[in-house]
Each structure stands twice: as structure tokens, then as C-alpha cells.
């Protein structure tokens, strides 16, 4: 069986790592296509190196652009690639523009498409990720869902017959990295002269938080006023938007950091007093590490983290301080994100549905 994985953005490389490993173990012909949506080495190459992912066979080098230009350029380039490869499956990951472009290209070439991390919904129709995941789910032939909630969303949209619950592949990666993270959890604090457990870890990169200067300014102000140092691990998008709006990112409590590799980010989260983020992956990683999380959004796709008390939504920046300093959540042994074997189940599902 031949599978072409199409990836392009940082969280997709994390998801690809266990899939690539399981594909190799199963003797699959696994071809990786990198769209080039993320091109900075800190957002791309370091993940391939650190997570031991096979080198992409094809690199489209598409780069940044408006949604239409970026998605359209990938779509045009992928037609030729997928036509030449003619795999049994095109596997697409998550909810980025790379996901949607690959799904549309494959479906129009009548090549079966499987969507990993299917069924997530924010029900916020202004989010680019929501457009990408809804359109991809409806185009795909096989929907690989991470959670029971995602399965219910797919059924509600009439897609239940194409859906299989496999668990969350990010859990596979996290469980593998947890022990090393415990050993390295003091590294970032030491490097920055902070106390272990004496800082918050923050990431802000989503369009709805970065692209409106007034909103971005109010979030940065709220972080700057927190009661402990805030290590702000900055995505290039945040730097670019803050520069354009003349917003200083190193004010008050904030200590600015460049993007971290996967293991560094996990260790930094584990060593922190809490995480403040708008990232989907980091909300789950914080939960799996049992670090309290505050999510700077009006809603989350990972509702289990909120229901179990480990994640609080701060829709307005004025709510961040109270959320971050809330009492510690109750411990839980719930495993809504699976047992760390989602990649193996994904490969089995691809064989079974062929
Ligand atoms: C994309 C995904 C988002 C995901 C995020 C993970 C979409 C619509 N969004 O958002 O779902 O959570 O990746 O990081 O696909 N830039 C660089 N270097 C890079 C890449 C980007 O400097 O290697 C800068 C550019 O200014 C670019 C901006 O970041 O315009 C945004 O990049 P883009 O790929 O459009 O979206 P992300 O914000 O990274």
C-alpha cells in the first residue's frame, strides 16, 4: 500500500512523526510531501530532525501568502505531484491551508483521501481553521477521529459511516517525550534565570488574536501585567503583526523567546506554573502533562480539557489574570485523547478501508 502524507505547518510535523514511524514498521510505501507553508528552520527542519521523521521526498516551497493565494498555489502544485504518485491514500493532517489544498487536489483526481484529526469543531465560522476542517471532512473518504466528541460531530453532519475513532496522534508523541521532559523541565528556567515553577509559558499566534492590533495590544498588556515572569515563545506571525502595530513584546513580566523545538517546548511547559495559549496542540499537551492551561479564545475544539477543569477560556484579555491565578484543578485519570497508539490504529484503518 502506498500512502502520500501532505504536511506543511509545524503542528502537522508533530502529527506526522508517529505516523511515519508506524508506516515504516508496517512496511508501507510512505511518501512525504512538504508544501512549504512553514519554511523557517525553527518551524520546520528542527521538527523533522528531532522527531526522526523521514525527509520529505517532494518540497513544493509555496511559502506565505493570503489564504487564497497560499491554498491555490499548493492546489495547483499538488495536482501534478499526486497524479505522478497515484497512491492508495492521500493522508492529510489537521486544519491548515495545506490540509485543505491536499484534500481538494486528491478528491478531484479521484484518489482516496483520509483526514487525520477529523471531526473537530469550534463552530466559529470566522476561523480559517474551521473552514479548512469542515471542508476537508466533507471531501474526505475516511475520517480518522481523535475523540468521542469528534465522532459525534461527524455523525451529526451525516459523516458517521466514514468515521473511525483512532485516538489522538499527538498523545502518541507526548507520551514518548514525557520522561525526557521531566529530566529537562528546569532547563528553560535556568537559562533565563527564573525559578522552576516560577514562570508562565505563553504562545499567541492565531489570526483572531494577532491580526486586530487593538486585541493584540490588550493581550500583550495582560501578559505584561501578570504576577510572575511570562516566557512568550513567539511565532513569526506574532513578531510580524506586533512590529506592524508598534506593540512591544518584551514589556513588563514578558520574557521574549524564539520558537522552541518540540522537546524544549514540552519541558518548558512542564517546568511552568501554567500555560497561556491559543494553540490547539499546547492545550492538550498541558492537559496530558497536568499543567493548568488558560486559552485565549472564545471557544476550544478540545472541550475535554475544559470539562475536566484543566483548561479555562479567557475570551477577553481582561479575564487572563484571574484565569491564570485560579486554584489548582482536581486531579484526574481520564484519558479522552487515547492511549498513545493512535498512529498504529490509523495505519490499520487505512488497510481496512482500502
Ligand atoms: C498556520 C495554520 C494554523 C496553525 C499554525 C501553526 C492556516 C490557516 N493556519 O498558521 O492553523 O495553528 O500554522 O503554527 O493554515 N511565517 C514565517 N515563517 C514561516 C511561516 C510563517 O515568518 O516559516 C510568518 C509569515 O509572516 C506568514 C505568517 O507567519 O505570513 C503566517 O503564516 P501562515 O502559514 O499563513 O499561518 P500560521 O499563522 O503559521
Amino acid at each position: 500500500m502506498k500512502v502520500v502524507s501532505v504536511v506543511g505547518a509545524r503542528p502537522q510535523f508533530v502529527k506526522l512523526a508517529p505516523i511515519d514511524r508506524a508506516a515504516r514498521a508496517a512496511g508501507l510505501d510512505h511518501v512525504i510531501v512538504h508544501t512549504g507553508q512553514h519554511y523557517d528552520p525553527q518551524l520546520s527542519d528542527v521538527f523533522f530532525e528531532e522527531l526522526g521523521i523521514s525527509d520529505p521526498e517532494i518540497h513544493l516551497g509555496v511559502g506565505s501568502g493570503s489564504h487564497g493565494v497560499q491554498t491555490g498555489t499548493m492546489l495547483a502544485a499538488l495536482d501534478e505531484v499526486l497524479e505522478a504518485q497515484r497512491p492508495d491514500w492521500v493522508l492529510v493532517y489537521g486544519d491548515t491551508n495545506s490540509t485543505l489544498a491536499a484534500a481538494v487536489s486528491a478528491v478531484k483526481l479521484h484518489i482516496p483521501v483520509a483526514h487525520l484529526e477529523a471531526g473537530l469543531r469550534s463552530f466559529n465560522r470566522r476561523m480559517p481553521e474551521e473552514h479548512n476542517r469542515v471542508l476537508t471532512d466533507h471531501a474526505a473518504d475516511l475520517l480518522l477521529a481523535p475523540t468521542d466528541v469528534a465522532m459525534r460531530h461527524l455523525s451529526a453532519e451525516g459523516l458517521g459511516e466514514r468515521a473511525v475513532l483512532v485516538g489522538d496522534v499527538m498523545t502518541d508523541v507526548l507520551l514518548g517525550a514525557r520522561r525526557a521532559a521531566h529530566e529537562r523541565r528546569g532547563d528553560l528556567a535556568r537559562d533565563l534565570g527564573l525559578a522552576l515553577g516560577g514562570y508562565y509559558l505563553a504562545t499567541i499566534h492565531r489570526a483572531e488574536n494577532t491580526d486586530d492590533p487593538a486585541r493584540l495590544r490588550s493581550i500583550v498588556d495582560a501578559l505584561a501585567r501578570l504576577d510572575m515572569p511570562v516566557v512568550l515563545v513567539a511565532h513569526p506571525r506574532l513578531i510580524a503583526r506586533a512590529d506592524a502595530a508598534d506593540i512591544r513584546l518584551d514589556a513588563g513580566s514578558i520574557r521574549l523567546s524564539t520558537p522552541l523545538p518540540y522537546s524544549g517546548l514540552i519541558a518548558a511547559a512542564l517546568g511552568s506554573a501554567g500555560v497561556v495559549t491559543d494553540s490547539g496542540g499546547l492545550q492538550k499537551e498541558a492537559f496530558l502533562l497536568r499543567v493548568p492551561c488558560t486559552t485565549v479564545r472564545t471557544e476550544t475544539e478540545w472541550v475535554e480539557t475544559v470539562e475536566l477543569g484543566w483548561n479555562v477560556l479567557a475570551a477577553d484579555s481582561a479575564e487572563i489574570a484571574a484565569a491564570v491565578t485560579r486554584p489548582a484543578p482536581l486531579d484526574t485519570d481520564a484519558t479522552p485523547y487515547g492511549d498513545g497508539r493512535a498512529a498504529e490504529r490509523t495505519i490499520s484503518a487505512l488497510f481496512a478501508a482500502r
Side-chain angles (χ1 to χ4, degrees):
M1 183 166 73
K2 179 172 181 177
V3 176
V4 170
S5 280
V6 181
V7 291
R10 180 169 58 178
Q12 295 173 321
F13 310 140
V14 179
K15 292 164 202 170
L16 172 64
I19 294 290
D20 185 45
R21 198 171 319 119
R24 278 186 275 159
L28 288 191
D29 181 6
H30 186 214
V31 175
I32 298 172
V33 177
H34 191 317
T35 62
Q37 177 169 351
H38 283 177
Y39 43 88
D40 280 347
Q42 287 171 312
L43 297 192
S44 178
D45 300 6
V46 293
F47 287 84
F48 281 82
E49 283 156 26
E50 185 183 43
L51 298 173
I53 306 168
S54 310
D55 286 339
E57 210 150 298
I58 295 146
H59 201 299
L60 304 178
V62 164
S64 304
S66 67
H67 290 293
V69 167
Q70 189 179 53
T71 311
T73 310
M74 292 175 196
L75 181 53
L78 280 165
D79 274 0
E80 198 182 315
V81 170
L82 298 183
E83 184 72 90
Q85 293 285 337
R86 277 280 151 196
D88 297 290
W89 287 104
V90 171
L91 184 56
V92 300
Y93 299 70
D95 54 19
T96 74
N97 290 343
S98 299
T99 316
L100 179 62
V104 173
S105 173
V107 85
K108 287 191 177 290
L109 292 168
H110 306 150
I111 301 172
V113 188
H115 182 205
L116 187 69
E117 212 180 68
L120 293 183
R121 296 290 181 268
S122 67
F123 301 103
N124 177 351
R125 298 271 296 168
R126 290 188 58 80
M127 278 179 75
E129 292 83 2
E130 185 75 354
H131 314 146
N132 290 340
R133 56 173 89 97
V134 170
L135 294 167
T136 300
D137 280 340
H138 284 259
D141 303 279
L142 177 63
L143 300 170
L144 302 156
T147 61
D148 290 323
V149 172
M151 288 293 283
R152 286 205 290 278
H153 292 152
L154 293 169
S155 293
E157 292 175 27
L159 301 173
E161 283 185 10
R162 289 186 242 164
V164 181
L165 179 65
V166 292
D168 178 13
V169 288
M170 284 183 120
T171 302
D172 300 15
V173 189
L174 195 279
L175 296 186
R178 202 161 44 178
R179 185 196 300 249
H182 269 281
E183 280 160 21
R184 293 189 45 200
R185 71 187 192 283
D187 286 6
L188 182 80
R190 200 186 45 243
D191 290 351
L192 297 178
L194 304 172
L196 182 60
Y199 66 93
Y200 303 115
L201 181 75
T203 77
I204 297 291
H205 77 279
R206 283 195 189 268
E208 60 265 36
N209 285 332
T210 58
D211 291 9
D212 170 1
R215 177 155 176 91
L216 178 57
R217 192 179 301 278
S218 75
I219 293 169
V220 172
D221 282 351
L223 295 178
R225 285 199 306 269
L226 286 181
D227 60 342
M228 274 200 265
V230 178
V231 180
L232 177 58
V233 180
H235 184 294
R237 177 186 202 112
L238 173 63
I239 303 278
R241 299 301 188 270
D243 272 356
D246 216 5
I247 296 170
R248 277 194 56 185
L249 289 177
D250 59 352
S253 301
I254 300 176
R255 310 287 184 87
L256 200 57
S257 161
T258 52
L260 296 172
Y262 180 78
S263 61
L265 187 75
I266 297 303
L270 197 58
S272 75
V275 164
V276 184
T277 192
D278 58 6
S279 150
L282 192 50
Q283 291 173 53
K284 260 181 311 170
E285 285 151 357
F287 169 73
L288 294 169
L289 296 167
R290 299 298 187 268
V291 174
C293 183
T294 298
T295 295
V296 186
R297 285 182 51 195
T298 44
E299 71 285 305
T300 177
E301 300 77 20
W302 304 105
V303 290
E304 303 82 1
T305 59
V306 174
E307 284 158 9
L308 291 164
W310 285 82
N311 190 9
V312 166
L313 297 175
D316 192 283
S317 53
E319 298 164 24
I320 294 176
V324 163
T325 52
R326 71 191 185 268
L330 291 178
D331 206 5
T332 173
D333 56 8
T335 55
Y337 303 118
D339 58 3
R341 299 182 59 191
E344 283 168 48
R345 274 189 218 101
T346 295
I347 301 299
S348 302
L350 293 175
F351 272 112
R354 189 153 66 122

